[in-house]
Amino acid sequence: MKGTRAIIEVLKSEGVDLVFGYPGGQIIPLFDEFYDEKDVRLVMPRHEQGGAHAAEGYARVTGKVGVVIATSGPGATNLVTGIADAYMDSTPLVAVTGQVVSQLIGNDAFQEVDVIGITRSISKHNYLVKKPSDLPSMLKSAFHIARSGRPGPVVVDIPSDIQKTEINAPIPDSVRIPGYQPTYEGNPRQIDRIAQMINASERPVLYVGGGIVSSGASEHLREVARQANLPVTTTLMGLGCFPSDDPLSLGMLGMHGSAYANQAVMGCDLLIAVGARFDDRITGKTAAFAPLAKKIHVDIDPTSVSKNVGVDLPVIGGADNILRELLPKLERRERQAWFARIAEWKASSPLDVPEYAGAVAPQRVLREMNRLSRDRDPVLVTDVGQHQMWSALYWNHQRPRRWVSSGGLGTMGFGLPAAIGAQLGLPDNLVFCVTGDGGIQMNIQELATVKRLDLPVKIILMNNGYLGMVRQWQELFWNKRYSHTNLSDNPDFVAIAEAYGIKSLTLDSGDRTAATLEEAIDHPGPVLVDVRIDREANVYPMVPAGEPLDQIITRR
Amino acid sequence: MPPKVRRHVFSALVENKPGVLARIASLFSARGYNIESLNVGETDNAATSRMTISVLGDDRTLEQIRKQLSKLIDTLKVTELSDLPCVETDLALVKVKAAPDRRGEILNLVTVFNARIADVSERHLVIEISGNEAKLRSFLSLAGTYGVTEMVRAGRIAMKRGD
């Protein structure tokens, strides 16, 4: 069997039926193999970065490993942002790169880069295939590593001569990696201890993140929260693992979290972190984070524990297993005083929609999108910036794997390609891509991919003619010195979408919000809606970087 | 009060594969940890290598380093030798100024420290000395009174005592 056939056979054995790939010199052999391939579909983006984010979007909504293929040199370097993004957000991804022929490696050959060196610190692991017989086991290991433990990206760099070589090694059914044995089961005595601490607490808060989503623990979380009567706050990555409208929900915490989530964290006597990593956008000033609380941290990655904030009880293992074991040990407690305080906080700073004298309120757009799509199991994919935070705050998140956003890396340009991946992963769902006028221009070429595949993605472009989040920081902390954030000379996005053959609409007055969105949703194909939002609308609440979470700015 | 910085020795058993050293070096640089010394060599099993890594840091940093090292896919086992009874040794070559009238004293020093003369030239002696950190420091400080013109160290290696 040729190397390229072995690659496809490994993909099949891993249940892969869709990959994203962009051709180029050193990966032609593999693309040639795809020419007649029926079982594994290859979707071509218009830029390798788009392929990487599409694979991430696909992985995030399906729970499967995303696969992206690129050529050597510039093809590989164009993947770098996507690989780093997947690493930060623990997204399972296998990136296959072509490499120059084995005997030229290290000679500064045409389109050669040291992909392994470049991706070492942004991937969970990486492999350069040097011996043809290693190819099947290395690629197989890549899938195993990408999806197990704390998921992440794995890079496999394959010289073009090895792709063409006859491989005399079978496709292994499974692989064993001696140095890699993730811990899935929590220690039973520590789980008992968690239960005792929860049962004894007067003012508990559950603080949960992406680990709940990736381990499939959402149902366990709901049961635990309801059984023990625990308020729940989620990180950006955890959105959807607990329903936003549940009475126990505090919404998102952190820099742009709800005021009441942050107040609850600052006032709690027990913080139970599950599958979250105490990121600086969550904690604010670490020394003042949840200052009154004993802290429990449940995580599958030992390096996440006590990295930023010291904890009283670390428990290593899978969130699903630990929450399941925990459930029968929990007692129901009413905690009336605590819930009364939370109710007061909720009443005093609700997430309402501000009025912007005639201009479109982005928060209202999200609320209307939500209302109009309720029975379509919608997926909300975002780019990075203000629109992302409004989406996190004003959307009614109901289910896991229906929220796709670039959290840890904060990658502008993520949204459109990730929405392509999400729509391919969930072809029957309504997929929204909420983006900004800055973000969409970082991967706008993917409109061609949307068109070719006729993916019915609804692109909601929150257009304020600014790099809005940076402008907001400049307004609040840099004396309104708007250095290089003004995009008022943006191109005509409606004309651009039309040039790509995509239907487009303009929404420029608040009272047309519902009608325009309805028209977009009802259209069977892709639509871009150019939403002219208030130019200086800001994201509130906000805790300035490095401040304690109770230093909340709520309005201008 | 800033957290107390101390020296720590990790012994990592890793797979003997290309790129493993680069992976560990990259981990230290990416996370801002300082390596004091690092020694790599094969073990009795050709499939594995032993890395002895000496670092300085506070307790929290050292704990992170241990966990980060263990997390690498190619790492089989990480042991913290500083917490265990262990033998450790380092090897140094030291070029000392040796005027004819001082040679006798220097040779005495070499004998006292159980070191060895590796090379003799007109104005210098090259001394080979092995031993633990305290012994090497004390030797270097005494040799310094004659003038050390060059010094190279192999890096610390260490092993847990007993069975």
Short mmCIF file of all heavy atoms in Angstrom, two decimals, chain A residues 495-532:
data_model
loop_
_atom_site.label_atom_id
_atom_site.label_comp_id
_atom_site.label_asym_id
_atom_site.label_seq_id
_atom_site.Cartn_x
_atom_site.Cartn_y
_atom_site.Cartn_z
N ALA A 495 -22.01 44.62 -1.42
CA ALA A 495 -21.53 44.42 -2.79
C ALA A 495 -20.52 43.28 -2.84
O ALA A 495 -20.49 42.50 -3.80
CB ALA A 495 -20.89 45.72 -3.30
N ILE A 496 -19.70 43.17 -1.80
CA ILE A 496 -18.72 42.08 -1.78
C ILE A 496 -19.43 40.73 -1.77
O ILE A 496 -19.12 39.83 -2.55
CB ILE A 496 -17.79 42.21 -0.55
CG1 ILE A 496 -16.82 43.37 -0.77
CG2 ILE A 496 -17.01 40.91 -0.31
CD1 ILE A 496 -15.82 43.56 0.34
N ALA A 497 -20.41 40.59 -0.86
CA ALA A 497 -21.14 39.32 -0.78
C ALA A 497 -21.80 39.02 -2.11
O ALA A 497 -21.77 37.88 -2.60
CB ALA A 497 -22.16 39.37 0.34
N GLU A 498 -22.37 40.03 -2.73
CA GLU A 498 -23.04 39.82 -4.01
C GLU A 498 -22.04 39.39 -5.09
O GLU A 498 -22.33 38.53 -5.92
CB GLU A 498 -23.83 41.05 -4.43
CG GLU A 498 -25.19 41.06 -3.73
CD GLU A 498 -25.95 42.37 -3.81
OE1 GLU A 498 -25.45 43.31 -4.48
OE2 GLU A 498 -27.03 42.45 -3.20
N ALA A 499 -20.84 39.97 -5.02
CA ALA A 499 -19.82 39.58 -6.00
C ALA A 499 -19.46 38.10 -5.85
O ALA A 499 -19.11 37.43 -6.82
CB ALA A 499 -18.57 40.45 -5.83
N TYR A 500 -19.55 37.61 -4.63
CA TYR A 500 -19.30 36.18 -4.40
C TYR A 500 -20.55 35.34 -4.72
O TYR A 500 -20.52 34.13 -4.58
CB TYR A 500 -18.91 35.93 -2.94
CG TYR A 500 -17.44 36.15 -2.63
CD1 TYR A 500 -17.00 37.33 -2.04
CD2 TYR A 500 -16.50 35.17 -2.93
CE1 TYR A 500 -15.65 37.53 -1.73
CE2 TYR A 500 -15.15 35.36 -2.63
CZ TYR A 500 -14.74 36.54 -2.04
OH TYR A 500 -13.41 36.73 -1.75
N GLY A 501 -21.64 36.01 -5.09
CA GLY A 501 -22.87 35.29 -5.41
C GLY A 501 -23.70 34.95 -4.19
O GLY A 501 -24.48 34.00 -4.19
N ILE A 502 -23.51 35.72 -3.11
CA ILE A 502 -24.23 35.46 -1.87
C ILE A 502 -25.24 36.57 -1.63
O ILE A 502 -24.92 37.76 -1.73
CB ILE A 502 -23.23 35.34 -0.70
CG1 ILE A 502 -22.39 34.07 -0.88
CG2 ILE A 502 -23.94 35.35 0.65
CD1 ILE A 502 -21.27 33.92 0.09
N LYS A 503 -26.47 36.16 -1.30
CA LYS A 503 -27.52 37.15 -1.03
C LYS A 503 -27.10 38.02 0.15
O LYS A 503 -26.54 37.52 1.13
CB LYS A 503 -28.81 36.40 -0.67
CG LYS A 503 -30.00 37.30 -0.32
CD LYS A 503 -31.20 36.44 0.10
CE LYS A 503 -32.32 37.26 0.70
NZ LYS A 503 -33.10 38.00 -0.31
N SER A 504 -27.41 39.32 0.05
CA SER A 504 -27.05 40.16 1.18
C SER A 504 -28.10 41.22 1.46
O SER A 504 -28.84 41.64 0.55
CB SER A 504 -25.68 40.79 0.99
OG SER A 504 -25.58 41.31 -0.30
N LEU A 505 -28.17 41.59 2.70
CA LEU A 505 -29.18 42.53 3.18
C LEU A 505 -28.49 43.57 4.06
O LEU A 505 -27.46 43.30 4.65
CB LEU A 505 -30.22 41.80 4.05
CG LEU A 505 -30.98 40.63 3.42
CD1 LEU A 505 -31.70 39.82 4.50
CD2 LEU A 505 -31.98 41.16 2.39
N THR A 506 -29.11 44.74 4.11
CA THR A 506 -28.60 45.77 5.03
C THR A 506 -29.64 45.97 6.13
O THR A 506 -30.84 46.02 5.85
CB THR A 506 -28.38 47.11 4.29
OG1 THR A 506 -27.47 46.87 3.22
CG2 THR A 506 -27.81 48.17 5.22
N LEU A 507 -29.16 46.08 7.35
CA LEU A 507 -30.04 46.41 8.47
C LEU A 507 -29.49 47.68 9.09
O LEU A 507 -28.43 47.66 9.73
CB LEU A 507 -30.07 45.25 9.48
CG LEU A 507 -30.75 45.52 10.82
CD1 LEU A 507 -32.19 45.97 10.65
CD2 LEU A 507 -30.70 44.28 11.71
N ASP A 508 -30.19 48.81 8.83
CA ASP A 508 -29.64 50.06 9.35
C ASP A 508 -30.61 50.86 10.19
O ASP A 508 -30.34 52.00 10.55
CB ASP A 508 -29.06 50.91 8.21
CG ASP A 508 -30.08 51.16 7.11
OD1 ASP A 508 -31.27 50.80 7.31
OD2 ASP A 508 -29.69 51.69 6.05
N SER A 509 -31.78 50.28 10.52
CA SER A 509 -32.62 50.98 11.47
C SER A 509 -33.21 49.97 12.44
O SER A 509 -33.62 48.87 12.04
CB SER A 509 -33.71 51.79 10.77
OG SER A 509 -34.82 50.97 10.51
N GLY A 510 -33.22 50.36 13.70
CA GLY A 510 -33.60 49.45 14.78
C GLY A 510 -34.96 48.80 14.56
O GLY A 510 -35.13 47.61 14.84
N ASP A 511 -35.90 49.55 13.99
CA ASP A 511 -37.25 48.97 13.88
C ASP A 511 -37.39 47.95 12.75
O ASP A 511 -38.40 47.31 12.61
CB ASP A 511 -38.32 50.08 13.78
CG ASP A 511 -37.99 51.08 12.68
OD1 ASP A 511 -37.07 50.78 11.88
OD2 ASP A 511 -38.64 52.15 12.64
N ARG A 512 -36.33 47.79 11.93
CA ARG A 512 -36.35 46.77 10.88
C ARG A 512 -35.67 45.47 11.35
O ARG A 512 -35.53 44.52 10.58
CB ARG A 512 -35.61 47.29 9.63
CG ARG A 512 -36.27 48.46 8.92
CD ARG A 512 -37.33 48.02 7.91
NE ARG A 512 -36.83 46.96 7.01
CZ ARG A 512 -37.55 45.94 6.56
NH1 ARG A 512 -38.82 45.82 6.93
NH2 ARG A 512 -37.03 45.05 5.75
N THR A 513 -35.22 45.44 12.60
CA THR A 513 -34.40 44.33 13.09
C THR A 513 -35.06 42.98 12.85
O THR A 513 -34.51 42.10 12.17
CB THR A 513 -34.06 44.52 14.59
OG1 THR A 513 -33.37 45.76 14.73
CG2 THR A 513 -33.17 43.40 15.10
N ALA A 514 -36.26 42.81 13.39
CA ALA A 514 -36.91 41.50 13.31
C ALA A 514 -37.19 41.12 11.86
O ALA A 514 -36.92 39.99 11.44
CB ALA A 514 -38.19 41.51 14.13
N ALA A 515 -37.71 42.08 11.09
CA ALA A 515 -38.11 41.77 9.72
C ALA A 515 -36.90 41.35 8.88
O ALA A 515 -36.96 40.39 8.10
CB ALA A 515 -38.79 42.99 9.09
N THR A 516 -35.79 42.06 9.03
CA THR A 516 -34.60 41.74 8.23
C THR A 516 -34.04 40.37 8.61
O THR A 516 -33.67 39.57 7.74
CB THR A 516 -33.52 42.83 8.43
OG1 THR A 516 -34.14 44.10 8.22
CG2 THR A 516 -32.37 42.66 7.47
N LEU A 517 -33.98 40.11 9.92
CA LEU A 517 -33.46 38.82 10.36
C LEU A 517 -34.35 37.68 9.87
O LEU A 517 -33.87 36.63 9.47
CB LEU A 517 -33.34 38.78 11.89
CG LEU A 517 -32.24 39.68 12.47
CD1 LEU A 517 -32.35 39.72 13.99
CD2 LEU A 517 -30.85 39.19 12.05
N GLU A 518 -35.66 37.94 9.89
CA GLU A 518 -36.59 36.92 9.44
C GLU A 518 -36.36 36.59 7.96
O GLU A 518 -36.33 35.43 7.56
CB GLU A 518 -38.02 37.43 9.63
CG GLU A 518 -38.91 36.39 10.27
CD GLU A 518 -40.25 36.98 10.70
OE1 GLU A 518 -40.28 38.17 11.11
OE2 GLU A 518 -41.24 36.24 10.62
N GLU A 519 -36.14 37.63 7.18
CA GLU A 519 -35.89 37.43 5.75
C GLU A 519 -34.62 36.60 5.55
O GLU A 519 -34.58 35.69 4.71
CB GLU A 519 -35.76 38.80 5.05
CG GLU A 519 -35.67 38.66 3.54
CD GLU A 519 -35.50 40.01 2.83
OE1 GLU A 519 -35.68 41.07 3.47
OE2 GLU A 519 -35.18 39.98 1.62
N ALA A 520 -33.60 36.91 6.35
CA ALA A 520 -32.33 36.18 6.23
C ALA A 520 -32.53 34.71 6.60
O ALA A 520 -32.04 33.81 5.91
CB ALA A 520 -31.27 36.81 7.12
N ILE A 521 -33.24 34.48 7.69
CA ILE A 521 -33.43 33.11 8.15
C ILE A 521 -34.28 32.31 7.17
O ILE A 521 -34.03 31.12 6.93
CB ILE A 521 -34.05 33.11 9.58
CG1 ILE A 521 -33.02 33.66 10.59
CG2 ILE A 521 -34.51 31.72 9.99
CD1 ILE A 521 -33.59 33.95 11.96
N ASP A 522 -35.27 32.97 6.59
CA ASP A 522 -36.17 32.26 5.67
C ASP A 522 -35.52 31.92 4.33
O ASP A 522 -35.96 31.02 3.63
CB ASP A 522 -37.44 33.09 5.43
CG ASP A 522 -38.32 33.09 6.67
OD1 ASP A 522 -38.08 32.24 7.56
OD2 ASP A 522 -39.23 33.95 6.77
N HIS A 523 -34.49 32.66 3.97
CA HIS A 523 -33.82 32.39 2.70
C HIS A 523 -33.13 31.03 2.80
O HIS A 523 -32.42 30.75 3.77
CB HIS A 523 -32.80 33.50 2.40
CG HIS A 523 -32.05 33.27 1.12
ND1 HIS A 523 -32.65 33.37 -0.11
CD2 HIS A 523 -30.75 32.94 0.89
CE1 HIS A 523 -31.74 33.11 -1.06
NE2 HIS A 523 -30.59 32.84 -0.47
N PRO A 524 -33.30 30.17 1.79
CA PRO A 524 -32.75 28.82 1.92
C PRO A 524 -31.22 28.74 1.84
O PRO A 524 -30.64 27.78 2.31
CB PRO A 524 -33.39 28.06 0.74
CG PRO A 524 -33.84 29.12 -0.21
CD PRO A 524 -34.14 30.34 0.59
N GLY A 525 -30.57 29.71 1.25
CA GLY A 525 -29.11 29.64 1.08
C GLY A 525 -28.38 30.58 2.02
O GLY A 525 -28.95 31.09 2.98
N PRO A 526 -27.10 30.81 1.72
CA PRO A 526 -26.33 31.72 2.57
C PRO A 526 -26.80 33.17 2.43
O PRO A 526 -27.27 33.57 1.35
CB PRO A 526 -24.90 31.58 2.04
CG PRO A 526 -25.01 30.98 0.67
CD PRO A 526 -26.30 30.22 0.64
N VAL A 527 -26.69 33.91 3.51
CA VAL A 527 -27.04 35.33 3.50
C VAL A 527 -26.02 36.08 4.34
O VAL A 527 -25.58 35.59 5.37
CB VAL A 527 -28.43 35.57 4.14
CG1 VAL A 527 -28.81 37.06 4.05
CG2 VAL A 527 -29.51 34.73 3.51
N LEU A 528 -25.66 37.27 3.86
CA LEU A 528 -24.87 38.17 4.70
C LEU A 528 -25.75 39.36 5.05
O LEU A 528 -26.34 39.98 4.15
CB LEU A 528 -23.61 38.62 3.98
CG LEU A 528 -22.68 39.56 4.78
CD1 LEU A 528 -21.21 39.28 4.45
CD2 LEU A 528 -22.98 41.04 4.54
N VAL A 529 -25.86 39.65 6.34
CA VAL A 529 -26.62 40.84 6.76
C VAL A 529 -25.62 41.86 7.29
O VAL A 529 -24.91 41.60 8.28
CB VAL A 529 -27.65 40.50 7.86
CG1 VAL A 529 -28.50 41.73 8.16
CG2 VAL A 529 -28.52 39.31 7.46
N ASP A 530 -25.55 43.00 6.61
CA ASP A 530 -24.66 44.08 7.05
C ASP A 530 -25.44 44.90 8.07
O ASP A 530 -26.30 45.70 7.71
CB ASP A 530 -24.27 44.92 5.82
CG ASP A 530 -23.28 46.02 6.17
OD1 ASP A 530 -22.76 46.04 7.30
OD2 ASP A 530 -23.04 46.88 5.28
N VAL A 531 -25.15 44.68 9.34
CA VAL A 531 -25.91 45.33 10.42
C VAL A 531 -25.15 46.58 10.86
O VAL A 531 -24.06 46.48 11.43
CB VAL A 531 -26.09 44.38 11.62
CG1 VAL A 531 -27.02 45.02 12.65
CG2 VAL A 531 -26.64 43.02 11.17
N ARG A 532 -25.74 47.74 10.57
CA ARG A 532 -25.08 48.99 10.95
C ARG A 532 -25.42 49.30 12.39
O ARG A 532 -26.42 49.96 12.68
CB ARG A 532 -25.54 50.13 10.02
CG ARG A 532 -25.26 49.86 8.56
CD ARG A 532 -23.78 49.56 8.35
NE ARG A 532 -23.48 49.36 6.94
CZ ARG A 532 -23.10 50.35 6.12
NH1 ARG A 532 -23.00 51.58 6.56
NH2 ARG A 532 -22.84 50.09 4.86
#
